[in-house]
């Protein structure tokens, strides 16, 4: 079982997993900063210090999801899909994702080119690719 913790205004990973038949009612997705703080136990100071779209917050989201849900694997994404919301430091297409597999957390940052839909699709592709490469093989 797994959990997705997503912050891209629209959930992008969970619908893909549902379409592929890998979604279960135990799968949850979280969006707002308040949800990050309350449900995933992401410290508000972490968001204030690093911003909602950051390695630190993505790691905290993935770890928090592992702590609050009875799962072995989580993937967390936080990013700016556009068309607005970007800045010089974090342009549209900036996405941080983290995977927590059996207590081991890894994170990676991306700057995906393209429009909103292309950024969203690239996010799904990389999040699932990252999950599959990190899961222990049977």
């Amino acid at each position: 079982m797994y959990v997705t913790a997503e912050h891209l205004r629209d959930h992008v990973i969970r619908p893909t997993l549902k379409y592929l038949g890998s979604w279960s009612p135990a799968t949850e997705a979280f969006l707002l900063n308040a949800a990050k703080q309350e449900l995933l136990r992401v410290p508000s100071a972490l968001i204030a210090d690093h911003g909602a779209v950051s390695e630190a917050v993505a790691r905290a989201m993935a770890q928090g999801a592992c702590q609050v849900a009875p799962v072995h694997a989580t993937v967390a994404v936080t990013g700016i899909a556009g068309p607005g919301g970007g800045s010089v430091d974090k342009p549209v297409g900036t996405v941080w994702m983290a995977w927590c597999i059996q207590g081991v957390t890894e994170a990676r940052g991306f700057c995906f080119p393209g429009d909103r839909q292309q950024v969203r699709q690239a996010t799904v592709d990389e999040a699932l690719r990252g999950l599959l490469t990190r899961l222990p093989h049977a």
Side-chain angles (χ1 to χ4, degrees):
M1 194 179 308
Y2 57 84
V3 167
T4 65
E6 305 179 42
H7 182 185
L8 277 170
R9 296 238 172 166
D10 302 315
H11 304 297
V12 294
I13 300 168
R14 185 173 59 170
T16 302
L17 292 172
K18 188 173 183 180
Y19 175 78
L20 296 174
S22 299
W23 182 85
S24 74
T27 302
E28 293 293 335
F30 305 101
L31 174 62
L32 303 173
N33 284 344
K36 289 178 188 176
Q37 294 166 23
E38 294 171 26
L39 300 174
L40 299 178
R41 302 178 183 154
V42 176
S44 58
L46 199 65
I47 295 171
D49 291 346
H50 298 277
V53 179
S54 64
E55 177 180 6
V57 169
R59 282 179 173 276
M61 289 170 63
Q63 292 165 349
C66 271
Q67 292 171 0
V68 300
V71 298
H72 299 290
T74 65
V75 58
V77 298
T78 182
I80 306 163
S87 68
V88 173
D89 293 334
K90 296 178 185 177
V92 168
T94 300
V95 176
W96 275 97
M97 49 187 81
W99 303 265
C100 186
I101 313 295
Q102 297 177 338
V104 177
T105 306
E106 295 179 46
R108 185 167 175 208
F110 299 88
C111 190
F112 297 122
D115 63 18
R116 180 177 180 77
Q117 185 54 39
Q118 291 168 318
V119 170
R120 289 166 41 97
Q121 187 59 55
T123 299
V124 170
D125 294 347
E126 287 298 333
L128 296 179
R129 184 177 295 116
L131 185 62
L132 291 173
T133 60
R134 288 166 174 83
L135 286 173
H137 297 332

